[in-house]
Amino acid sequence: MRAALVKEFGPPSSIVVEDVADLHPGAGEVLIEVGAVSINFPDILVVEGTYQNLPARPFSPGKEAAGRVIAVGDGVSRVRVGQRVLALVEYGGYAEQLVVPEDLVMELPDGMSYEAAAAFGLVYSTAYFGLLRRGQLKPGETVLITGAGGGVGSAAVQLAKAWDARVIALAQDEAKAELARSQGADIALTSKPDTLRDDLLAATDGKGVDVVMDMLGGDFLTQIIRATAWEGRIVIVGFASGSQNPIKPGHILVKSISVIGLQSSDYRDRTPELMRSSMAEMFALYEQGKLDAAVDTTFPLDKVGDALQYVKDGRVRGKVVVTTGRG
């Protein structure tokens, strides 16, 4: 089989695609012939060697893959050969084959392509646990989604609308703002930190936002806190702005604001049944036409370095997917 390998940490161009030995499932494991795998920003950090969880080299990055089950190990009872599935993993997806524990595998809806499924897993599960479990979003509340137009931001906009929230999207530019509007955002802003507080208060008649899912951090988060409603919940997902400004406790205290962290892969590892049930819920919304995986573009496996660079350059609107021609 072919696999994209990190042999030495470096820029996206340093990843190499080579022939490696076929894989075989052990007890409790499933072997998947991969059809598609998505690019996620943490993959870039993994390739560059700056991510918090780095396996021994050489290894294949890739946190989610969709394909067909071609073998199962002893003791596997829920998954069968021939099923079309999605697997969520810590690494290993950038290859034509992937071995995963049965717990991490979920069956795909009949009408969902491998490309859509690969674009679905990590970003939608992040949005789900951020908005519903950590943010406790309720119908009718106003939610702010930063990083709109990217993978997690696009997923969060769609899910929040599916749950009957009023959505304010904060996007990097007008093109990504327009994408957020097309995905259901009630208001899409391109505000910079110096105007963000006033823009959010104007959009909420001075009340502020009830729930925030923030991928930016830095000065954006500083101003978002000032425009959060009483008993608001701010879920911190990342720091794409490049900085982690200190949070002023006084602003948190006077409005009884909750600031909540989210590491979505922990749900995959600690509560795999909960992860599978949440994905099944979102697959049902997909089949109802309420969610769209929003694939921006695809690259073949041998161009995976170009795919990573495309995401790193910030050109993506939605998700970038790598296809193998298999599955």
Side-chain angles (χ1 to χ4, degrees):
M1 70 162 186
R2 293 185 306 152
L5 300 174
V6 174
K7 293 186 171 181
E8 299 294 337
F9 296 123
S13 60
S14 66
I15 197 167
V16 296
V17 179
E18 294 183 356
D19 289 324
V20 299
D22 286 346
L23 302 179
H24 303 278
E29 293 181 331
V30 173
L31 175 61
I32 299 170
E33 185 176 52
V34 175
V37 56
S38 78
I39 303 289
N40 294 289
F41 192 79
D43 296 335
I44 299 168
L45 304 182
V46 167
V47 171
E48 294 176 341
T50 59
Y51 196 59
Q52 64 263 31
N53 187 1
L54 295 172
R57 292 166 288 169
F59 68 93
S60 295
K63 294 182 177 295
E64 56 196 337
R68 180 175 60 90
V69 177
I70 55 175
V72 298
D74 292 341
V76 172
S77 59
R78 186 177 56 83
V79 177
R80 66 182 185 277
V81 172
Q83 278 185 311
R84 300 170 65 256
V85 297
L86 171 67
L88 302 179
V89 293
E90 186 60 30
Y91 62 90
Y94 290 8
E96 291 178 337
Q97 293 180 357
L98 176 66
V99 168
V100 296
E102 181 185 21
D103 275 350
L104 304 183
V105 177
M106 53 213 76
E107 187 174 10
L108 296 179
D110 290 339
M112 184 178 247
S113 69
Y114 290 143
E115 291 82 1
F120 206 86
L122 183 62
V123 293
Y124 280 87
S125 62
T126 298
Y128 182 99
F129 287 107
L131 291 174
L132 199 63
R133 187 175 179 92
R134 304 298 286 153
Q136 296 292 302
L137 179 65
K138 302 176 183 65
E141 288 190 314
T142 297
V143 58
L144 169 66
I145 309 296
T146 71
V152 175
S154 293
V157 167
Q158 294 176 58
L159 277 172
K161 288 306 297 181
W163 292 325
D164 297 322
R166 179 173 183 259
V167 177
I168 301 174
L170 177 63
Q172 182 181 24
D173 53 41
E174 185 54 36
K176 292 185 177 181
E178 184 55 36
L179 175 61
R181 294 185 193 102
S182 72
Q183 293 169 333
D186 298 281
I187 297 174
L189 305 173
T190 57
S191 310
K192 304 306 179 188
D194 58 346
T195 65
L196 182 56
R197 171 183 175 273
D198 291 342
D199 292 344
L200 291 173
L201 291 175
T204 57
D205 295 326
K207 176 181 179 289
V209 293
D210 300 300
V211 176
V212 178
M213 190 159 174
D214 182 42
M215 274 74 75
L216 300 178
D219 292 335
F220 288 96
L221 180 57
T222 300
Q223 298 306 314
I224 287 168
I225 291 171
R226 299 177 65 200
T228 298
W230 182 75
E231 285 199 329
R233 290 87 71 198
I234 300 173
V235 182
I236 297 177
V237 182
F239 311 99
S241 70
S243 63
Q244 301 181 36
N245 285 10
I247 293 174
K248 295 182 179 180
H251 291 159
I252 304 299
L253 183 152
V254 297
K255 291 193 287 186
S256 298
I257 294 171
S258 299
V259 180
I260 308 161
L262 173 66
Q263 176 69 15
S264 63
S265 60
D266 284 350
Y267 293 96
R268 176 199 68 205
D269 298 334
R270 293 173 181 266
T271 58
E273 288 186 9
L274 178 60
M275 176 63 78
R276 294 198 305 271
S277 66
S278 69
M279 291 302 298
E281 183 179 337
M282 290 185 285
F283 285 157
L285 291 172
Y286 176 86
E287 290 185 294
Q288 294 166 25
K290 294 182 178 180
L291 302 180
D292 178 359
V295 176
D296 176 298
T297 189
T298 63
F299 290 79
L301 182 62
D302 60 1
K303 298 292 184 182
V304 66
D306 294 340
L308 288 161
Q309 190 65 51
Y310 186 88
V311 174
K312 184 175 182 179
D313 290 344
R315 291 184 283 166
V316 61
R317 299 174 190 169
K319 290 288 290 181
V320 171
V321 172
V322 170
T323 58
T324 67
R326 308 285 290 273

